[in-house]
């Protein structure tokens, strides 16, 4: 499946949730998510812009591959997912096949998910990063329509993945440190 998504950083989650409710969106998840990203020893998948992710979301465990296709106006990926029954056992299976965890520990975040038709809205909060909104839709036009319906600015759309969100805040922290020196 082809996935088109964007992020908007530093949103007011309560205002977004209120607008989503008014638009008729349904809340489908709220809770913590932990995930691991895997690669081969020679980083074959990273070099091919493919992410192999194992995610524990509530009671679900989901194994995903995402191949990045484009990242100009939106992040566009080909994504395939399958639900497994056990996070730890799936981790062991992947490791027994020669995959290693790219990051040496699980990454955790709090997520609130809404759906409206074929558009998904994710409010993600990490411990050291302000809440950001991810909108995933069949195409960029649908994303733009909902950005405006939510009262947000198209100028704030970022074609980022989570890694770029972290890099953005790391850069901001470094700039603040530089100004204080």
């Amino acid at each position: 499946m082809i996935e088109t998504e964007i992020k908007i950083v530093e949103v007011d989650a309560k205002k977004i949730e209120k607008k989503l409710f008014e638009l008729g969106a349904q809340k489908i998840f709220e809770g913590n998510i932990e995930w691991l990203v895997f690669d081969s020893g020679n980083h074959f998948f990273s070099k091919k812009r493919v992410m192999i992710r194992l995610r524990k979301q509530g009671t679900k465990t989901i194994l995903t591959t995402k191949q990045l296709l484009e990242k100009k106006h939106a992040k566009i990926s080909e994504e395939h997912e399958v639900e497994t029954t056990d996070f730890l056992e799936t981790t062991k299976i992947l490791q027994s096949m020669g995959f290693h965890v790219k990051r040496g520990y699980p990454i955790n975040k709090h997520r609130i998910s809404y759906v409206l038709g074929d558009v998904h809205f994710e409010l993600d909060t990490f411990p050291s990063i302000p809440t950001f909104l991810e909108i995933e839709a069949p195409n960029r036009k649908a994303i733009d329509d909902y950005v405006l319906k939510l009262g947000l600015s198209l100028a704030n759309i970022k074609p980022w993945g989570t890694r770029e969100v972290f890099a953005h805040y790391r850069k901001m922290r470094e700039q603040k440190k530089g100004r204080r020196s």
Side-chain angles (χ1 to χ4, degrees):
M1 169 176 94
I2 301 297
E3 162 186 283
T4 302
E5 68 181 55
I6 59 91
K7 299 214 179 0
I8 299 178
V9 296
E10 297 185 35
V11 298
D12 183 328
K14 294 296 177 200
K15 283 183 181 177
I16 298 295
E17 284 192 274
K18 183 177 186 248
K19 287 275 196 177
L20 286 168
F21 179 76
E22 290 169 0
L23 291 168
Q26 291 188 299
K27 185 187 258 187
I28 57 171
F29 177 78
E30 180 168 1
N32 293 323
I33 294 178
E34 81 176 89
W35 80 91
L36 299 169
V37 176
F38 294 85
D39 203 343
S40 62
N42 63 0
H43 308 286
F44 174 82
F45 294 96
S46 294
K47 291 173 187 173
K48 296 286 185 184
R49 301 178 359 159
V50 174
M51 178 178 64
I52 302 168
R53 178 185 67 209
L54 183 63
R55 177 187 285 172
K56 184 175 183 180
Q57 181 171 328
T59 59
K60 290 183 178 182
T61 297
I62 302 163
L63 179 61
T64 305
T65 62
K66 289 177 100 168
Q67 166 110 45
L68 182 62
L69 302 175
E70 179 184 324
K71 206 172 194 176
K72 189 175 179 181
H73 302 291
K75 184 179 164 199
I76 301 173
S77 304
E78 183 174 350
E79 180 178 281
H80 301 284
E81 292 186 332
V82 64
E83 192 170 331
T84 72
T85 58
D86 188 292
F87 186 83
L88 185 57
E89 284 302 311
T90 306
T91 299
K92 289 177 183 177
I93 289 169
L94 289 166
Q95 290 172 328
S96 74
M97 294 170 60
F99 292 98
H100 69 273
V101 176
K102 276 183 71 169
R103 298 172 183 103
Y105 54 91
I107 299 170
N108 295 288
K109 66 180 170 186
H110 183 79
R111 171 172 275 183
I112 304 170
S113 299
Y114 285 85
V115 66
L116 183 55
D118 54 3
V119 181
H120 292 261
F121 304 87
E122 318 288 357
L123 290 158
D124 288 339
T125 307
F126 288 86
S128 60
I129 293 177
T131 299
F132 61 89
L133 173 66
E134 176 182 295
I135 302 175
E136 180 184 317
N139 55 61
R140 178 61 194 263
K141 181 182 178 341
I143 289 171
D144 290 355
D145 290 346
Y146 278 106
V147 166
L148 296 173
K149 287 177 183 178
L150 292 171
L152 301 169
S153 170
L154 295 175
N156 293 333
I157 288 175
K158 307 291 185 204
W160 292 351
T162 302
R163 184 177 32 202
E164 288 88 0
V165 174
F166 279 120
H168 170 75
Y169 285 104
R170 188 171 36 254
K171 184 177 176 182
M172 288 180 66
R173 282 191 294 271
E174 289 168 3
Q175 288 173 345
K176 284 182 184 178
K177 280 183 186 176
R179 280 184 247 157
R180 282 187 255 154
S181 300

Short mmCIF file of all heavy atoms in Angstrom, two decimals, residues 127-171:
data_model
loop_
_atom_site.label_atom_id
_atom_site.label_comp_id
_atom_site.label_asym_id
_atom_site.label_seq_id
_atom_site.Cartn_x
_atom_site.Cartn_y
_atom_site.Cartn_z
N PRO A 127 8.84 11.99 25.44
CA PRO A 127 9.17 12.67 26.69
C PRO A 127 9.82 14.04 26.54
O PRO A 127 9.52 14.95 27.29
CB PRO A 127 10.12 11.68 27.39
CG PRO A 127 9.74 10.36 26.84
CD PRO A 127 9.33 10.61 25.40
N SER A 128 10.69 14.24 25.56
CA SER A 128 11.42 15.51 25.47
C SER A 128 11.05 16.35 24.25
O SER A 128 11.77 17.29 23.92
CB SER A 128 12.93 15.20 25.43
OG SER A 128 13.21 14.41 24.28
N ILE A 129 9.91 16.03 23.62
CA ILE A 129 9.52 16.73 22.39
C ILE A 129 8.05 17.13 22.50
O ILE A 129 7.21 16.32 22.90
CB ILE A 129 9.73 15.83 21.16
CG1 ILE A 129 11.23 15.59 20.96
CG2 ILE A 129 9.11 16.42 19.92
CD1 ILE A 129 11.54 14.67 19.81
N PRO A 130 7.71 18.36 22.12
CA PRO A 130 6.29 18.75 22.13
C PRO A 130 5.46 17.87 21.19
O PRO A 130 5.98 17.32 20.21
CB PRO A 130 6.32 20.20 21.62
CG PRO A 130 7.71 20.67 21.84
CD PRO A 130 8.58 19.46 21.71
N THR A 131 4.19 17.77 21.48
CA THR A 131 3.28 16.95 20.67
C THR A 131 3.28 17.42 19.22
O THR A 131 3.28 18.61 18.95
CB THR A 131 1.86 17.03 21.25
OG1 THR A 131 1.89 16.51 22.59
CG2 THR A 131 0.87 16.22 20.43
N PHE A 132 3.29 16.44 18.32
CA PHE A 132 3.17 16.76 16.90
C PHE A 132 2.06 15.93 16.29
O PHE A 132 1.66 14.90 16.82
CB PHE A 132 4.50 16.60 16.15
CG PHE A 132 5.07 15.20 16.16
CD1 PHE A 132 4.74 14.27 15.19
CD2 PHE A 132 5.98 14.84 17.14
CE1 PHE A 132 5.29 13.01 15.19
CE2 PHE A 132 6.54 13.57 17.16
CZ PHE A 132 6.19 12.65 16.18
N LEU A 133 1.56 16.41 15.17
CA LEU A 133 0.46 15.77 14.44
C LEU A 133 1.00 15.14 13.18
O LEU A 133 1.77 15.77 12.44
CB LEU A 133 -0.60 16.81 14.07
CG LEU A 133 -1.74 16.34 13.16
CD1 LEU A 133 -2.62 15.30 13.85
CD2 LEU A 133 -2.58 17.55 12.72
N GLU A 134 0.60 13.89 12.95
CA GLU A 134 0.88 13.23 11.68
C GLU A 134 -0.46 13.00 11.00
O GLU A 134 -1.41 12.55 11.64
CB GLU A 134 1.58 11.90 11.93
CG GLU A 134 1.83 11.10 10.66
CD GLU A 134 2.48 9.76 10.95
OE1 GLU A 134 3.63 9.75 11.43
OE2 GLU A 134 1.82 8.74 10.71
N ILE A 135 -0.53 13.33 9.73
CA ILE A 135 -1.72 13.04 8.93
C ILE A 135 -1.30 12.13 7.80
O ILE A 135 -0.36 12.44 7.06
CB ILE A 135 -2.38 14.32 8.36
CG1 ILE A 135 -2.75 15.29 9.49
CG2 ILE A 135 -3.62 13.96 7.53
CD1 ILE A 135 -3.30 16.63 9.01
N GLU A 136 -2.00 11.01 7.69
CA GLU A 136 -1.74 10.03 6.64
C GLU A 136 -3.01 9.90 5.81
O GLU A 136 -4.09 9.68 6.36
CB GLU A 136 -1.38 8.69 7.27
CG GLU A 136 -1.10 7.60 6.27
CD GLU A 136 -0.86 6.27 6.96
OE1 GLU A 136 -0.14 6.23 7.98
OE2 GLU A 136 -1.41 5.26 6.48
N ALA A 137 -2.87 10.06 4.50
CA ALA A 137 -4.03 10.04 3.61
C ALA A 137 -3.62 9.43 2.27
O ALA A 137 -2.43 9.26 2.00
CB ALA A 137 -4.55 11.47 3.41
N PRO A 138 -4.60 9.18 1.41
CA PRO A 138 -4.27 8.60 0.10
C PRO A 138 -3.45 9.53 -0.79
O PRO A 138 -2.74 9.07 -1.67
CB PRO A 138 -5.64 8.34 -0.54
CG PRO A 138 -6.60 8.32 0.59
CD PRO A 138 -6.04 9.22 1.64
N ASN A 139 -3.54 10.86 -0.55
CA ASN A 139 -2.81 11.79 -1.40
C ASN A 139 -2.61 13.12 -0.66
O ASN A 139 -3.22 13.37 0.37
CB ASN A 139 -3.55 12.02 -2.73
CG ASN A 139 -4.97 12.47 -2.49
OD1 ASN A 139 -5.23 13.51 -1.90
ND2 ASN A 139 -5.93 11.66 -2.96
N ARG A 140 -1.78 13.96 -1.22
CA ARG A 140 -1.45 15.24 -0.59
C ARG A 140 -2.64 16.19 -0.56
O ARG A 140 -2.81 16.95 0.38
CB ARG A 140 -0.26 15.87 -1.33
CG ARG A 140 0.17 17.22 -0.82
CD ARG A 140 0.64 17.22 0.64
NE ARG A 140 0.72 18.55 1.13
CZ ARG A 140 1.83 19.27 1.18
NH1 ARG A 140 2.97 18.76 0.80
NH2 ARG A 140 1.79 20.50 1.64
N LYS A 141 -3.51 16.15 -1.56
CA LYS A 141 -4.67 17.03 -1.57
C LYS A 141 -5.56 16.77 -0.36
O LYS A 141 -6.02 17.71 0.31
CB LYS A 141 -5.48 16.88 -2.86
CG LYS A 141 -6.69 17.82 -2.88
CD LYS A 141 -7.53 17.67 -4.11
CE LYS A 141 -8.75 18.55 -4.14
NZ LYS A 141 -9.26 19.12 -2.92
N ALA A 142 -5.80 15.51 -0.04
CA ALA A 142 -6.61 15.16 1.13
C ALA A 142 -5.95 15.67 2.40
O ALA A 142 -6.63 16.18 3.30
CB ALA A 142 -6.84 13.65 1.19
N ILE A 143 -4.64 15.56 2.47
CA ILE A 143 -3.91 16.08 3.64
C ILE A 143 -4.11 17.58 3.76
O ILE A 143 -4.46 18.08 4.82
CB ILE A 143 -2.41 15.72 3.54
CG1 ILE A 143 -2.22 14.22 3.76
CG2 ILE A 143 -1.59 16.53 4.54
CD1 ILE A 143 -0.81 13.72 3.47
N ASP A 144 -3.88 18.29 2.65
CA ASP A 144 -4.04 19.75 2.67
C ASP A 144 -5.45 20.15 3.10
O ASP A 144 -5.61 21.09 3.89
CB ASP A 144 -3.72 20.34 1.29
CG ASP A 144 -2.25 20.27 0.93
OD1 ASP A 144 -1.43 19.84 1.78
OD2 ASP A 144 -1.91 20.63 -0.21
N ASP A 145 -6.46 19.46 2.59
CA ASP A 145 -7.85 19.77 2.96
C ASP A 145 -8.04 19.66 4.46
O ASP A 145 -8.65 20.53 5.08
CB ASP A 145 -8.83 18.83 2.23
CG ASP A 145 -8.92 19.10 0.74
OD1 ASP A 145 -8.44 20.17 0.28
OD2 ASP A 145 -9.47 18.24 0.03
N TYR A 146 -7.52 18.59 5.07
CA TYR A 146 -7.71 18.41 6.51
C TYR A 146 -6.84 19.35 7.34
O TYR A 146 -7.25 19.76 8.42
CB TYR A 146 -7.52 16.95 6.91
CG TYR A 146 -8.78 16.17 6.66
CD1 TYR A 146 -8.88 15.29 5.61
CD2 TYR A 146 -9.91 16.37 7.46
CE1 TYR A 146 -10.05 14.60 5.35
CE2 TYR A 146 -11.09 15.69 7.22
CZ TYR A 146 -11.16 14.81 6.16
OH TYR A 146 -12.33 14.13 5.92
N VAL A 147 -5.67 19.70 6.84
CA VAL A 147 -4.86 20.69 7.56
C VAL A 147 -5.67 21.98 7.71
O VAL A 147 -5.76 22.55 8.80
CB VAL A 147 -3.52 20.95 6.83
CG1 VAL A 147 -2.83 22.20 7.37
CG2 VAL A 147 -2.62 19.74 6.96
N LEU A 148 -6.31 22.41 6.63
CA LEU A 148 -7.11 23.63 6.67
C LEU A 148 -8.36 23.45 7.53
O LEU A 148 -8.72 24.35 8.30
CB LEU A 148 -7.48 24.06 5.25
CG LEU A 148 -6.29 24.46 4.37
CD1 LEU A 148 -6.73 24.72 2.93
CD2 LEU A 148 -5.55 25.66 4.95
N LYS A 149 -9.03 22.31 7.43
CA LYS A 149 -10.21 22.05 8.26
C LYS A 149 -9.88 22.06 9.75
O LYS A 149 -10.73 22.38 10.57
CB LYS A 149 -10.86 20.72 7.88
CG LYS A 149 -11.58 20.76 6.55
CD LYS A 149 -12.14 19.38 6.19
CE LYS A 149 -12.79 19.42 4.82
NZ LYS A 149 -13.30 18.09 4.42
N LEU A 150 -8.65 21.68 10.08
CA LEU A 150 -8.21 21.68 11.48
C LEU A 150 -7.75 23.06 11.94
O LEU A 150 -7.36 23.24 13.09
CB LEU A 150 -7.10 20.65 11.69
CG LEU A 150 -7.52 19.19 11.56
CD1 LEU A 150 -6.30 18.28 11.55
CD2 LEU A 150 -8.48 18.80 12.67
N GLY A 151 -7.78 24.04 11.04
CA GLY A 151 -7.39 25.39 11.40
C GLY A 151 -5.88 25.58 11.46
O GLY A 151 -5.39 26.51 12.11
N LEU A 152 -5.14 24.73 10.78
CA LEU A 152 -3.69 24.81 10.77
C LEU A 152 -3.22 25.42 9.46
O LEU A 152 -3.98 25.53 8.51
CB LEU A 152 -3.09 23.41 10.97
CG LEU A 152 -3.50 22.71 12.27
CD1 LEU A 152 -3.09 21.26 12.26
CD2 LEU A 152 -2.92 23.43 13.48
N SER A 153 -1.96 25.78 9.39
CA SER A 153 -1.40 26.42 8.21
C SER A 153 -0.68 25.41 7.33
O SER A 153 0.11 24.59 7.83
CB SER A 153 -0.42 27.51 8.64
OG SER A 153 0.29 27.99 7.52
N LEU A 154 -0.90 25.51 6.04
CA LEU A 154 -0.19 24.66 5.08
C LEU A 154 1.31 24.93 5.12
O LEU A 154 2.12 24.05 4.81
CB LEU A 154 -0.72 24.88 3.66
CG LEU A 154 -2.18 24.48 3.42
CD1 LEU A 154 -2.61 24.86 2.01
CD2 LEU A 154 -2.39 23.00 3.66
N ALA A 155 1.70 26.12 5.55
CA ALA A 155 3.12 26.47 5.64
C ALA A 155 3.86 25.65 6.70
O ALA A 155 5.09 25.56 6.66
CB ALA A 155 3.27 27.96 5.94
N ASN A 156 3.12 25.07 7.63
CA ASN A 156 3.74 24.31 8.71
C ASN A 156 3.90 22.82 8.40
O ASN A 156 4.41 22.07 9.22
CB ASN A 156 2.94 24.48 10.01
CG ASN A 156 3.04 25.90 10.51
OD1 ASN A 156 4.00 26.60 10.25
ND2 ASN A 156 2.02 26.33 11.23
N ILE A 157 3.46 22.39 7.23
CA ILE A 157 3.57 20.98 6.85
C ILE A 157 5.03 20.62 6.65
O ILE A 157 5.78 21.33 5.98
CB ILE A 157 2.77 20.72 5.56
CG1 ILE A 157 1.26 20.76 5.86
CG2 ILE A 157 3.16 19.39 4.93
CD1 ILE A 157 0.40 20.62 4.62
N LYS A 158 5.41 19.48 7.21
CA LYS A 158 6.77 18.97 7.05
C LYS A 158 6.69 17.55 6.46
O LYS A 158 5.95 16.72 6.97
CB LYS A 158 7.50 18.89 8.40
CG LYS A 158 7.51 20.17 9.19
CD LYS A 158 8.36 21.22 8.55
CE LYS A 158 8.44 22.45 9.43
NZ LYS A 158 8.75 23.64 8.71
N PRO A 159 7.48 17.26 5.43
CA PRO A 159 7.49 15.91 4.85
C PRO A 159 8.47 15.00 5.62
O PRO A 159 9.30 14.32 5.04
CB PRO A 159 7.97 16.15 3.41
CG PRO A 159 8.90 17.32 3.55
CD PRO A 159 8.30 18.17 4.64
N TRP A 160 8.37 15.01 6.92
CA TRP A 160 9.35 14.39 7.79
C TRP A 160 8.89 13.03 8.30
O TRP A 160 7.71 12.77 8.46
CB TRP A 160 9.60 15.26 9.02
CG TRP A 160 10.29 16.56 8.77
CD1 TRP A 160 10.87 16.99 7.61
CD2 TRP A 160 10.45 17.61 9.71
NE1 TRP A 160 11.40 18.24 7.78
CE2 TRP A 160 11.15 18.64 9.06
CE3 TRP A 160 10.08 17.79 11.03
CZ2 TRP A 160 11.49 19.83 9.69
CZ3 TRP A 160 10.40 18.96 11.65
CH2 TRP A 160 11.12 19.98 11.00
N GLY A 161 9.89 12.25 8.67
CA GLY A 161 9.69 11.08 9.50
C GLY A 161 10.03 11.47 10.92
O GLY A 161 10.45 12.61 11.19
N THR A 162 9.88 10.54 11.83
CA THR A 162 10.17 10.82 13.24
C THR A 162 11.63 11.22 13.44
O THR A 162 11.94 12.09 14.25
CB THR A 162 9.82 9.60 14.10
OG1 THR A 162 8.43 9.29 13.89
CG2 THR A 162 10.03 9.87 15.57
N ARG A 163 12.53 10.63 12.68
CA ARG A 163 13.95 10.96 12.81
C ARG A 163 14.18 12.45 12.56
O ARG A 163 14.95 13.11 13.25
CB ARG A 163 14.75 10.10 11.83
CG ARG A 163 16.23 10.29 11.93
CD ARG A 163 16.99 9.37 11.01
NE ARG A 163 16.23 9.12 9.79
CZ ARG A 163 16.40 8.08 9.01
NH1 ARG A 163 17.30 7.19 9.30
NH2 ARG A 163 15.68 7.93 7.92
N GLU A 164 13.49 13.02 11.55
CA GLU A 164 13.64 14.46 11.26
C GLU A 164 13.04 15.32 12.36
O GLU A 164 13.53 16.42 12.63
CB GLU A 164 13.02 14.81 9.91
CG GLU A 164 13.81 14.30 8.72
CD GLU A 164 13.45 12.89 8.30
OE1 GLU A 164 12.57 12.26 8.93
OE2 GLU A 164 14.05 12.40 7.34
N VAL A 165 11.97 14.84 12.99
CA VAL A 165 11.40 15.57 14.12
C VAL A 165 12.42 15.65 15.25
O VAL A 165 12.68 16.73 15.80
CB VAL A 165 10.08 14.93 14.62
CG1 VAL A 165 9.58 15.61 15.89
CG2 VAL A 165 9.01 14.97 13.53
N PHE A 166 13.06 14.52 15.57
CA PHE A 166 14.10 14.51 16.59
C PHE A 166 15.25 15.45 16.20
O PHE A 166 15.75 16.21 17.04
CB PHE A 166 14.65 13.10 16.82
CG PHE A 166 13.80 12.24 17.71
CD1 PHE A 166 13.26 11.07 17.23
CD2 PHE A 166 13.54 12.60 19.01
CE1 PHE A 166 12.48 10.26 18.05
CE2 PHE A 166 12.77 11.81 19.84
CZ PHE A 166 12.24 10.63 19.35
N ALA A 167 15.67 15.40 14.95
CA ALA A 167 16.77 16.25 14.49
C ALA A 167 16.41 17.73 14.61
O ALA A 167 17.26 18.56 14.99
CB ALA A 167 17.13 15.91 13.04
N HIS A 168 15.17 18.07 14.31
CA HIS A 168 14.69 19.45 14.42
C HIS A 168 14.85 19.97 15.85
O HIS A 168 15.38 21.06 16.07
CB HIS A 168 13.22 19.51 13.99
CG HIS A 168 12.53 20.79 14.28
ND1 HIS A 168 12.74 21.93 13.54
CD2 HIS A 168 11.60 21.10 15.23
CE1 HIS A 168 11.99 22.90 14.03
NE2 HIS A 168 11.29 22.42 15.05
N TYR A 169 14.41 19.17 16.82
CA TYR A 169 14.49 19.61 18.22
C TYR A 169 15.92 19.56 18.75
O TYR A 169 16.31 20.39 19.57
CB TYR A 169 13.52 18.82 19.09
CG TYR A 169 12.12 19.31 18.84
CD1 TYR A 169 11.22 18.58 18.07
CD2 TYR A 169 11.70 20.55 19.32
CE1 TYR A 169 9.95 19.05 17.80
CE2 TYR A 169 10.44 21.03 19.05
CZ TYR A 169 9.57 20.28 18.29
OH TYR A 169 8.33 20.78 18.02
N ARG A 170 16.72 18.63 18.27
CA ARG A 170 18.13 18.60 18.66
C ARG A 170 18.83 19.89 18.18
O ARG A 170 19.56 20.52 18.93
CB ARG A 170 18.80 17.35 18.06
CG ARG A 170 20.19 17.10 18.55
CD ARG A 170 20.77 15.74 18.13
NE ARG A 170 20.39 15.28 16.82
CZ ARG A 170 19.51 14.30 16.56
NH1 ARG A 170 18.91 13.67 17.56
NH2 ARG A 170 19.22 13.93 15.33
N LYS A 171 18.54 20.29 16.94
CA LYS A 171 19.11 21.52 16.39
C LYS A 171 18.65 22.74 17.19
O LYS A 171 19.45 23.63 17.49
CB LYS A 171 18.70 21.66 14.92
CG LYS A 171 19.31 22.83 14.22
CD LYS A 171 18.90 22.86 12.76
CE LYS A 171 19.43 24.08 12.06
NZ LYS A 171 19.00 24.14 10.65
#
